[in-house]
């Protein structure tokens, strides 16, 4: 079995048949500081993302890309609007259900690596698989396959603090894909990488997409944007029809 192929397709929510994987209606997000004017990160975002799509999200810095992905990942909640994931209204998910969804259904690659400093590289990648109850032998195979695919298997016994930023990013990517998630949300996943490693990561995303995963990629790189099959442009927190000038 190739490293990216899931052993069995996700059964999903039987009530979601015929619905898009992701549906946003009127999503807005406002951050309110104690002594500052409110900061509007997203404004009335309405869109669908279907199962198996490869979507790029682009726009100038501060346009709301990271906030958009955090809401999709259930790491944040909108100030207004509705978000359905696999046919479920996410406003009705308990904290435990949100965490379980992130662990099983979503692979997260964000600009902050969020590696656990007391664990080795191998243990950081293996840990989410342990939470999912995957048997030890399969955990080992998945962990090593993901580390080898990003080129850091030789560093499996090191701790994150001894790695460069680029290598930490590769470990975070390996952790995200080791579970072969049906949804991958990636926020500038190549930002800390050289061009060769960046191209390797983008090839991995293409492989996951070819196997049926839904990819949502936030990037400034025009070459990587073109790899996606659909493009979403954000400007001042709104979805716009074309890239801002």
């Amino acid at each position: 079995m190739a490293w990216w192929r899931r052993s069995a397709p996700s059964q999903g929510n039987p009530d979601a048949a015929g619905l898009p994987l992701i549906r946003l209606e009127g999503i807005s997000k406002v951050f309110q500081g104690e002594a500052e004017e409110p900061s509007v990160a997203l404004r009335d975002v309405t869109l669908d993302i279907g199962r198996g799509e490869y979507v790029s999200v682009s726009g100038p810095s501060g346009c709301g890309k990271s906030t958009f992905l955090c809401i999709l990942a259930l790491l944040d909640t909108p100030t207004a609007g509705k978000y359905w994931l696999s046919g479920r209204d996410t406003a009705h998910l308990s904290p435990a259900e949100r965490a379980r969804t992130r662990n099983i259904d979503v692979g997260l690659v964000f600009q902050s690596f969020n590696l656990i400093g007391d664990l080795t590289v191998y243990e950081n990648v293996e840990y989410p698989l342990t939470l999912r109850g995957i048997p030890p032998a399969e955990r080992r195979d998945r962990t090593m396959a993901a580390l080898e695919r990003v080129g850091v298997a030789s560093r499996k016994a090191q701790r994150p603090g001894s790695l460069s930023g680029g290598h930490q990013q590769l470990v975070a990517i390996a952790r995200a894909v080791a579970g072969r998630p049906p949804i991958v949300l990636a926020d500038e996943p190549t930002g800390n990488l050289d061009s060769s490693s960046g191209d390797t990561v983008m090839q991995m995303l293409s492989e996951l997409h070819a196997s049926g995963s839904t990819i949502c990629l936030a990037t400034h790189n025009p070459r990587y944007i073109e790899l996606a099959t659909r493009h979403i442009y954000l400007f001042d927190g709104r979805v716009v029809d074309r890239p801002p000038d």
Side-chain angles (χ1 to χ4, degrees):
M1 177 182 291
W3 73 271
W4 66 89
R5 296 195 183 279
R6 297 191 292 276
S7 57
S10 174
Q11 296 301 311
N13 177 3
D15 296 331
L19 295 176
L21 177 65
I22 290 168
R23 169 162 287 174
L24 305 179
E25 287 189 1
I27 292 292
S28 295
K29 181 64 180 181
V30 179
F31 294 98
Q32 178 68 65
E34 291 184 3
E36 300 176 356
E37 290 295 319
S39 175
V40 181
L42 293 174
R43 305 170 187 263
D44 196 27
V45 173
T46 295
L47 58 83
D48 291 345
I49 297 175
R51 290 172 176 77
E53 282 200 89
Y54 190 154
V55 178
S56 71
V57 182
S58 59
S61 296
C63 69
K65 297 188 299 294
S66 294
T67 301
F68 177 79
L69 289 185
C70 280
I71 287 176
L72 293 189
L74 301 176
L75 292 170
D76 205 347
T77 55
T79 306
K82 290 283 192 177
Y83 171 24
W84 288 270
L85 178 61
S86 296
R88 301 181 70 187
D89 184 346
T90 60
H92 298 153
L93 297 179
S94 68
E97 289 171 323
R98 294 169 74 90
R100 183 177 184 276
T101 297
R102 284 194 299 271
N103 186 37
I104 294 177
D105 294 330
V106 182
L108 304 175
V109 184
F110 287 122
Q111 295 177 52
S112 56
F113 314 126
N114 295 321
L115 300 175
I116 302 173
D118 291 338
L119 301 183
T120 65
V121 163
Y122 179 95
E123 290 165 342
N124 266 280
V125 176
E126 181 191 38
Y127 181 60
L129 304 180
T130 304
L131 295 178
R132 293 175 60 178
I134 293 174
E138 185 178 352
R139 288 204 309 267
R140 181 175 60 252
D141 290 345
R142 288 195 187 194
T143 300
M144 288 308 301
L147 290 172
E148 288 167 1
R149 186 65 182 83
V150 299
V152 293
S154 64
R155 301 177 185 274
K156 65 181 181 179
Q158 293 181 238
R159 299 192 188 278
S162 69
L163 302 178
S164 68
H167 283 131
Q168 289 186 57
Q169 180 74 304
L170 291 171
V171 174
I173 291 166
R175 178 184 58 192
V177 302
R180 300 162 191 165
I183 305 169
V184 177
L185 305 175
D187 188 3
E188 299 286 358
T190 63
N192 294 288
L193 305 178
D194 59 39
S195 59
S196 177
S197 296
D199 288 346
T200 295
V201 169
M202 296 309 298
Q203 178 61 34
M204 290 176 66
L205 293 181
S206 293
E207 291 166 359
L208 284 164
H209 177 242
S211 76
S213 290
T214 301
I215 311 295
C216 191
L217 166 73
T219 182
H220 287 96
N221 190 312
R223 188 160 58 93
Y224 296 157
I225 290 171
E226 289 306 312
L227 295 175
T229 56
R230 176 184 168 199
H231 311 296
I232 295 172
Y233 304 108
L234 289 174
F235 184 71
D236 285 347
R238 298 184 186 276
V239 175
V240 295
D241 293 334
R242 58 183 181 274
D245 296 331

